[in-house]
Amino acid sequence: MKTTILSIAMALITLVTFAQEKNKKMTFDVDGKCAMCKERIEKAALNVKGVKYASWDIPTHQLAVIMDERKTDPMKIKTAIVAVGHDTKELKATEEAYESVHPCCRYREDNSDDGADH
């Protein structure tokens, strides 16, 4: 009887442990300037299958994500972000993608924080 209860308890602990490992929290740098950038960056990240949460902080340029590692990886998220015109440390947006962002969002020439202005 004790071994049965112990076996069930171990099985439950293992199940809970595996269930928790699927969600991973990460942060990485994404260039941008304002609330319009924030909306664009977060939307791009959330459109990647497996991303459950995305929040970009204007002053720090940090994107915090929670993702299911079984469905996506950080490079897929970064690829989606550069596709909408925002650079990361590893990837740069194409000129065409960068030029598609609103003129006030062009951070390469002026990387000041315009978050209070928009």
Side-chain angles (χ1 to χ4, degrees), residues 7 34 36 65 92 115:
S7 296
C34 64
M36 285 192 291
V65 297
K92 293 266 187 220

Side-chain angles (χ1 to χ4, degrees), residues 52-70:
K52 299 179 178 191
Y53 170 85
S55 180
W56 184 71
D57 185 61
I58 295 170
T60 65
H61 296 187
Q62 290 290 305
L63 176 67
V65 297
I66 297 175
M67 66 178 190
D68 184 339
E69 289 185 292
R70 300 171 303 175

Side-chain angles (χ1 to χ4, degrees), residues 68-110:
D68 184 339
E69 289 185 292
R70 300 171 303 175
K71 296 180 181 176
T72 194
D73 61 70
M75 200 52 71
K76 288 180 184 174
I77 299 167
K78 292 174 185 179
T79 300
I81 291 166
V82 299
V84 297
H86 292 274
D87 297 342
T88 68
K89 282 192 175 189
E90 295 85 2
L91 300 173
K92 293 266 187 220
T94 64
E95 273 306 308
E96 182 180 356
Y98 178 71
E99 293 295 324
S100 72
V101 301
H102 191 273
C104 78
C105 298
R106 304 234 172 99
Y107 51 85
R108 289 180 182 165
E109 295 85 24
D110 173 21

Side-chain angles (χ1 to χ4, degrees), residues 21-49:
E21 289 180 1
K22 69 180 181 179
N23 293 330
K24 182 174 184 178
K25 295 179 184 178
M26 294 192 66
T27 59
F28 41 89
D29 290 327
V30 178
D31 290 332
K33 293 176 67 170
C34 64
M36 285 192 291
C37 295
K38 177 178 174 63
E39 184 177 331
R40 189 179 312 108
I41 291 165
E42 291 173 357
K43 183 177 179 182
L46 288 168
N47 282 334
V48 175
K49 185 176 180 176

